[in-house]
Amino acid sequence: MLVPCGHLDKRNVEAEIELIGDTKLVIKAKRGERAAFDELMRRHYDLARRIALGFAPIPEDADDLVQEAFVTAYVRLHQLKDPECFGPWLAAIVRNEGRMWYRRRSVQPVLLALDGDEPGDPSPIEHASVRTARESVVRDSVREAIADAISVLCSQQRQVVRLHYLEGYDYTETASLLNVPIAAVRGRLDRARDVLRRELSEMVISKAWGLGGRDLDAIRAAATVASSDPDRQVLNAILFTGKGQIVSTDTHRLFVCKRESFAEMPRALISAQLGRELRDTYADARNARLCIEENEAMLRLAEGWEMRAPLIDEVYPDWEKIVPAEWMSRAIAKCGDWLQSLALLSRHNGNETDNVLPRVLVVISPVDQRITLRQDHQAASAAPGEIAHEVSVWFPARFEQGEQDLIMAMNPVYLEQSIRFLALEPDAEVELCANSHYNPILTRSVGEGDTFIVTMPMRRVDRPRSGGDVR
């Protein structure tokens, strides 16, 4: 039975590796010797962490940066042409990871002082046990990423990788144990390295999150609400808040949707062209993965199609300030009643007049326990003193708050979209919140206030009217 000497002298091998210079360690690591790369990580850990702390003052965040940098270094080690430059090469990788990390975070400074403690510079001296523990965590994380990549290999490739790279057998010993020619071992290792490089590159270069149909619908809705003005780039975008929400606005209305699928995503401002292409070209897509890279976002559909859009490097407006904390009136009605009533008004709209924006008057009546929609597009365009035809439709509502009637002029397209974007069944209840006829209104699903649309009313222009209610 063949007993490999290297397997028996593992401790001696590790002791010898500690005496080898970086250049030889890099050469050994390129050949796939795990102990050599572990030693490189140990030697350069302090340098990498000092650089990381310059970007991420919180130690845990800095450790994450170091981990990502070491995984990147492992994946790209074959690109290092001069092994003597491993230290500066690794430092450049850490700085690049730090810049990517900083872009993904909010521009608001992190609050470090709590309970009256004054923030201070971290101590330059750490206990050896703490430093060793951090180094161990980073090495374990890198190994875990490599193990995940190995799991995608076929059984033959996994066998040679385990024997050669993880257990230390050379080509001859591996061939003997598997009872295959040495050439077969070399070929399987070459193919396995290609797969591992590709898998680890995907883990490092971008983070990807799975999205379902309702998530994609939310992105489509956000793109519709976002401004299309090319001169207002920051508003021609969808904000991923980093807190599970996506936000968009055209200054006339605001769309906010909170979903569990968005919770793990970093803060990012993505051009709305991504959502518009999804809406216009792939309206039926129901599954995808969203990848956020250094300068762009990529949406990969389950069918294999890909869409890309740039990240916007600007500060998004403080949208939370425009959402009132309290409401004078809160009316609740069924989603189906809203949409059917708006469709009925649309059928009675007649020919639109150029340069006149259609309007619908929304009458909230707590006394009558109903909501009335008045289509008065023609009234708005009638000449002074002329009697214009009006069509009205009403539906029942219950009121959680408010005693006075409110009448608001709304863009009917915006109003319909504010209902549809909630993605509710016809029997589901929609809550409409308002304070006055000139302040923003809010629509949301009853019991699910994490998704809502805020819309600014139009200016009211009252004219003489004739007509009656339709029910």
Side-chain angles (χ1 to χ4, degrees):
M1 178 177 177
L2 177 64
V3 180
C5 296
H7 193 57
L8 294 175
D9 300 333
K10 189 173 181 180
R11 291 183 179 178
N12 292 336
V13 169
E14 291 180 351
E16 292 175 3
I17 281 179
E18 294 181 1
L19 303 177
I20 297 175
D22 280 3
T23 301
K24 291 185 178 180
L25 285 177
V26 171
I27 294 172
K28 287 178 175 289
K30 282 187 173 183
R31 292 202 299 258
E33 296 186 21
R34 194 182 74 179
F37 192 75
D38 282 354
E39 176 62 18
L40 286 169
M41 286 195 293
R42 188 191 67 80
R43 291 183 183 183
H44 296 276
Y45 176 84
D46 286 344
L47 170 65
R49 193 163 186 275
R50 283 198 300 271
I51 297 173
L53 283 168
F55 293 93
I58 297 178
E60 290 77 8
D61 290 336
D63 291 339
D64 289 342
L65 282 182
V66 174
Q67 171 194 331
E68 292 179 6
F70 277 133
V71 174
T72 301
Y74 181 86
V75 172
R76 300 177 181 171
L77 194 60
H78 67 285
Q79 299 175 0
L80 178 59
K81 296 180 180 179
D82 187 355
E84 294 181 358
C85 297
F86 179 82
W89 179 72
L90 176 65
I93 290 177
V94 178
R95 292 189 185 96
N96 187 55
E97 291 290 341
R99 285 190 290 268
M100 292 175 62
W101 179 92
Y102 189 78
R103 285 188 179 187
R104 294 195 296 263
R105 265 58 180 183
S106 171
V107 296
Q108 181 176 341
V110 177
L111 181 62
L112 296 178
L114 297 175
D115 298 328
D117 295 336
E118 291 295 327
D121 295 332
S123 172
I125 301 175
E126 291 185 275
H127 292 295
S129 60
V130 175
R131 184 168 60 251
T132 301
R134 286 197 177 116
E135 293 173 357
S136 176
V137 168
V138 171
R139 285 198 297 271
D140 289 346
S141 299
V142 174
R143 289 171 179 165
E144 183 179 349
I146 295 172
D148 289 341
I150 290 174
S151 68
V152 306
L153 298 174
C154 68
S155 58
Q156 289 184 340
Q157 292 172 348
R158 280 199 303 272
Q159 283 181 325
V160 295
V161 167
R162 178 175 57 81
L163 291 172
H164 181 65
Y165 289 134
L166 304 184
E167 297 187 15
Y169 296 100
D170 62 23
Y171 290 132
T172 302
E173 295 163 347
T174 301
S176 177
L177 289 171
L178 296 177
N179 195 27
V180 297
I182 294 178
V185 171
R186 292 182 183 274
R188 292 176 188 178
L189 285 173
D190 285 342
R191 290 189 292 273
R193 280 193 291 266
D194 289 340
V195 174
L196 290 174
R197 190 173 293 117
R198 184 174 62 253
E199 290 294 321
L200 286 169
S201 294
E202 290 185 359
M203 293 180 191
V204 172
I205 293 175
S206 62
K207 305 294 184 182
W209 294 269
L211 303 177
R214 290 176 65 87
D215 305 319
L216 297 180
D217 285 341
I219 294 175
R220 293 181 180 104
T224 301
V225 173
S227 172
S228 57
D229 186 348
D231 295 329
R232 309 178 77 174
Q233 191 179 41
V234 69
L235 298 182
N236 192 1
I238 301 172
L239 173 67
F240 287 74
T241 65
K243 302 176 182 178
Q245 301 158 309
I246 61 171
V247 179
S248 67
T249 183
D250 59 2
T251 71
H252 301 294
R253 50 187 175 158
L254 171 75
F255 174 81
V256 179
C257 178
K258 185 174 184 178
R259 295 193 58 78
E260 185 176 345
S261 305
F262 303 143
E264 298 300 322
M265 296 183 186
R267 183 180 179 90
L269 189 58
I270 303 174
S271 171
Q273 74 183 54
L274 187 78
R276 294 189 183 111
E277 185 176 357
L278 176 67
R279 179 196 65 197
D280 300 336
T281 308
Y282 305 103
D284 296 329
R286 307 308 294 168
N287 288 282
R289 292 185 68 79
L290 178 64
C291 304
I292 300 178
E293 303 178 359
E294 183 176 4
N295 296 311
E296 69 175 2
M298 187 267 288
L299 193 63
R300 180 181 298 163
L301 304 182
E303 295 80 4
W305 300 102
E306 291 184 359
M307 292 161 281
R308 294 179 180 271
L311 300 185
I312 309 300
D313 190 16
E314 295 188 32
V315 178
Y316 203 74
D318 189 358
W319 58 272
E320 293 176 291
K321 287 185 177 180
I322 70 171
V323 183
E326 298 180 353
W327 301 95
M328 292 178 57
S329 181
R330 294 169 54 204
I332 297 173
K334 290 186 177 181
C335 176
D337 287 344
W338 272 106
L339 296 178
Q340 289 176 10
S341 300
L342 287 166
L344 180 60
L345 287 185
S346 179
R347 288 198 298 270
H348 286 80
N349 188 36
N351 295 324
E352 294 186 0
T353 304
D354 293 340
N355 301 321
V356 177
L357 188 64
R359 306 182 314 163
V360 60
L361 296 183
V362 180
V363 183
I364 301 175
S365 180
V367 176
D368 297 330
Q369 290 287 292
R370 68 183 188 181
I371 296 174
T372 302
L373 305 182
R374 295 177 183 166
Q375 191 283 315
D376 74 335
H377 165 72
Q378 296 177 16
S381 60
E386 179 182 340
I387 302 298
H389 180 68
E390 177 195 88
V391 176
S392 298
V393 58
W394 64 269
F395 49 90
R398 58 186 176 88
F399 289 79
E400 297 291 333
Q401 199 166 324
E403 298 178 354
Q404 301 295 323
D405 286 5
L406 282 179
I407 304 177
M408 296 161 294
M410 302 296 300
N411 181 323
V413 175
Y414 287 0
L415 183 59
E416 180 179 356
Q417 289 178 347
S418 73
I419 305 298
R420 291 195 182 278
F421 289 167
L422 297 175
L424 302 175
E425 296 295 327
D427 287 338
E429 291 184 319
V430 174
E431 182 178 28
L432 185 146
C433 304
N435 283 327
S436 69
H437 69 272
Y438 54 83
N439 284 330
I441 68 166
L442 179 145
T443 52
R444 63 188 172 195
S445 170
V446 173
E448 298 180 16
D450 290 335
T451 297
F452 58 86
I453 298 93
V454 178
T455 308
M456 194 67 185
M458 299 172 66
R459 293 188 183 93
R460 288 182 53 190
V461 181
D462 295 324
R463 303 282 191 186
R465 294 181 297 269
S466 66
D469 288 346
V470 176
R471 182 70 176 103

